[in-house]
Each structure stands twice: as C-alpha cells, then as structure tokens.
Amino acid sequence: MKVYCAIASLGVLLSPATEAFTPGSLSAASYNPLKNIVEFNNEISSVTALPGLYANANTMRRTQLQMVPTTPEGNAVQQEDPIDQLVEEVKVMDVNAIINTSVIVLVVVAVLNQIISVDAGMMRGWSAEEMAVRIPVDNWASYSAVLEKTPLYTKAVTSATVYTIGDFIAQRTEGAGMGELDRPRLLRSLLAGLIGHGPLSHVWYDLSENVFDNVLHLRDWWGTIAKVAIDQTTWGPFWNNTYILLLGLMKMDSFEKIFSEMKRTTIPLIVSGLKLWPLAHIVTYGLIPVENRLLWVDLVEIIWVTILATAAANGGEGGGHGAPAVEEEEAKA
C-alpha cells in the first residue's frame, strides 16, 4: 500500500507539471505540489477507511441481532419479565405440595441440626475424622441417657417417628405426589406409634424378658427360638389388631366395621409377617439388649413397610407386624 501511495503521489506531482507547459493549459505559477499531495492523501485515507467502517457496522449489527431473539421468519420475540415468570410459576404450584415439602424440609433440617450440634461445645479444632467418629458415638450416648431417664416417653416418640416415616414411604410408593399426601393418614400413623406401639412395646419387652428368664427359664441358645415363636403367636397378632382398632377409632368407624376388619386381616397379617419377622426377632431376642429392642424393631419396620408398600403397589398383599401399610389395605377394601 505504501509503494502504491508513493507511485500515485509521484504521478500527481508530475502530471500537473507536464500540463503546465502544454499549450492551452494553466500557467506554471498556478501549480502547487504541496496542495495536491494533501488532497490526494485525504482521498486515499477516505477510500482505505471504508472497509473498516463497513466491518464495524456489520459487527454492531450482528451483536444487536444476537441480543434480540427472533422467530424463524426473522421477527423479534417479545421477552417476558423474569419476575412475572416467577409469579406465574408460583401461582400454578400446588399449595399442598408447598406445605408438605416445607414441613418435611423443616423437620429434616431440625433433626440434622440436632445431630450435628451434639458436640457443639467441644468440637473446635477437631479434624474431619474425629467428627465422623465422635458425632455418631455421642449421639448414641445422648439417646441412651434419655432412654434410661425416660424410657416410656423415649420409646413412644421413637415409634411415632418411625410410623410416620413408614406411612410416608408407603404413600410415596403407592404413587402419591408431594401434593397428594394424605396428611390425616400420616397423623393417624404418628398417633398410633405414639400412644400405641411405643408404650405397649415397652411393656411387652420388659414383661416378656422377665417371663422368659425367671418363669420359663429360656436362657440357652434354643430359648431364642422359643421366644420368637411366642412373640409371633401372641404379641404380633395382639398388636396388629390393636393397630387396626386405633386406626378405626381415629377414623370414627363403627365397631362392626373395625371388628370385621380385624377378622379379615388377622390370619393374612400373621402369614405375611412370617416372611421377615422370625429372622428379625432372632436378632431381637438373641443379640439386642431389652432397652434397645424397640428401636431395632422400629428400624426393621421401616424396611418392612417399604417392602409391603412396594408389593401392594405391584398388586401383591401387604401386612405384618403392625405396619402402617395395613391402612393402605383398608383403603382398598
């Protein structure tokens, strides 16, 4: 480009000089080479600047097109305010789903906070490994201390918690969404564990251990099998029917309907319970201390309820050791 400009400038300088000495041309005094060079440079600058200006204009145009969404036909799309979109989404949300989810989140957060903060006053400077070991150990020690101080209350709350979790799992397995959860049914399961299974199990395990050891003298290894057999033929059916009675009373069913339900479910529940509880109770009566037997049974019941609810959702039969899935069967009957 520089070579071209130099040649062109030389041409401009020479051209007027030649014309000045040709006949009929301007006089030599009117020739100004500096003026011609300035004008030529201005013309060259304007020509060479055009591609750059054109490129900048195209770039700005493309940027504007990218910022504004368009339809396939090239028309601009009307953009909605994000705040308005959020308001519309909240309007269409299920109120029950919001309530149920909020309650569950609050409960989970409260429980986790209680578990994690058990060593809040001493864990400064602890490593992650120390916290991973100490937090479970100290939570268990705290639970054991409360259990020793108030055994009946602790076992009642334990069963209420487990029965609520079990019924929640059963409903979700049946296909109920968060907005479709039956809150009265959850409350009935909670109360059945609180006023029924927890206190009655406390009495049963203490009384049965005394009878097994001091009356029947079932202290050898084979005594565990006898304890399981007695449990499955006495305590199991008794609690299953008590559970049905409690649910019927809370739903204000007639006594005729409640007793009809008892007769209908007693044998099926015993048969269904034989699939799991004999094996679970070998651990209950053979390895678990008396004061912790209810906690072990309640933890097993969570697994049992999940199995029963899954089987019921697939068209199978449910039932068992007072599991919340019994209410599911009543709803189908």
Side-chain angles (χ1 to χ4, degrees):
M1 178 64 73
K2 292 181 179 180
V3 174
Y4 170 76
C5 291
I7 295 172
S9 299
L10 181 59
V12 171
L13 290 173
L14 295 177
S15 173
T18 305
E19 294 176 358
F21 296 103
T22 56
S25 64
L26 295 175
S27 63
S30 65
Y31 171 64
N32 188 345
L34 182 59
K35 179 181 178 182
N36 288 351
I37 292 174
V38 171
E39 292 176 352
F40 177 76
N41 285 339
N42 289 338
E43 292 176 1
I44 293 297
S45 298
S46 62
V47 173
T48 56
L50 286 176
L53 293 174
Y54 180 74
N56 290 337
N58 278 345
T59 302
M60 294 177 63
R61 177 61 178 166
R62 285 197 300 269
T63 303
Q64 292 174 352
L65 290 176
Q66 290 173 359
M67 292 176 61
V68 180
T70 59
T71 62
E73 292 77 16
N75 301 323
V77 177
Q78 185 69 27
Q79 289 184 301
E80 297 183 7
D81 188 348
I83 302 300
D84 294 338
Q85 288 181 332
L86 181 60
V87 171
E88 292 298 325
E89 290 178 1
V90 172
K91 286 181 180 179
V92 301
M93 287 183 68
D94 188 353
V95 176
N96 285 326
I98 296 174
I99 294 174
N100 295 337
T101 304
S102 300
V103 171
I104 292 173
V105 169
L106 289 175
V107 171
V108 171
V109 169
V111 171
L112 290 177
N113 179 68
Q114 183 67 26
I115 292 174
I116 295 173
S117 61
V118 66
D119 292 323
M122 331 182 270
M123 60 192 305
R124 180 176 297 176
W126 285 7
S127 65
E129 292 79 6
E130 289 175 321
M131 287 189 288
V133 173
R134 292 299 305 174
I135 288 178
V137 170
D138 291 340
N139 272 289
W140 177 254
S142 177
Y143 173 81
S144 299
V146 174
L147 180 63
E148 183 179 0
K149 184 178 180 179
T150 55
L152 184 61
Y153 171 79
T154 304
K155 292 176 182 179
V157 172
T158 301
S159 282
T161 302
V162 168
Y163 268 62
T164 305
I165 294 173
D167 193 73
F168 171 77
I169 293 173
Q171 291 192 45
R172 292 288 288 167
T173 309
E174 293 167 25
M178 290 302 297
E180 301 170 336
L181 291 176
D182 188 345
R183 288 194 294 271
R185 173 175 158 178
L186 287 169
L187 179 61
R188 289 193 294 269
S189 293
L190 184 150
L191 293 175
L194 183 68
I195 65 178
H197 189 255
L200 291 177
S201 295
H202 169 71
V203 173
W204 163 252
Y205 288 120
D206 283 351
L207 178 63
S208 63
E209 189 65 15
N210 181 59
V211 172
F212 293 155
D213 288 348
N214 300 323
V215 177
L216 302 177
H217 304 289
L218 300 175
R219 298 173 183 173
D220 297 326
W221 65 268
W222 54 266
T224 301
I225 299 175
K227 293 176 183 179
V228 172
I230 294 172
D231 179 284
Q232 289 294 284
T233 54
T234 56
W235 165 245
F238 170 78
W239 168 243
N240 287 338
N241 287 317
T242 302
Y243 182 76
I244 294 172
L245 175 62
L246 289 173
L247 292 181
L249 292 175
M250 285 187 280
K251 290 189 292 185
M252 292 183 291
D253 291 339
S254 65
F255 282 103
E256 181 181 358
K257 182 178 180 180
I258 293 172
F259 289 123
S260 173
E261 187 64 24
M262 287 181 180
K263 290 189 294 182
R264 185 184 72 84
T265 58
T266 297
I267 300 302
L269 289 177
I270 293 175
V271 174
S272 296
L274 293 176
K275 299 174 183 177
L276 172 70
W277 287 110
L279 180 60
H281 282 322
I282 288 177
V283 178
T284 303
Y285 292 103
L287 300 175
I288 307 297
V290 176
E291 62 273 14
N292 294 322
R293 285 178 182 172
L294 176 63
L295 178 61
W296 160 253
V297 169
D298 281 342
L299 293 177
V300 174
E301 283 193 353
I302 292 180
I303 302 174
W304 182 233
V305 166
T306 304
I307 295 173
L308 293 179
T310 303
N314 293 330
E317 293 184 354
H321 209 320
V326 173
E327 186 165 357
E328 172 195 340
E329 285 196 348
E330 292 181 4
K332 292 180 178 180

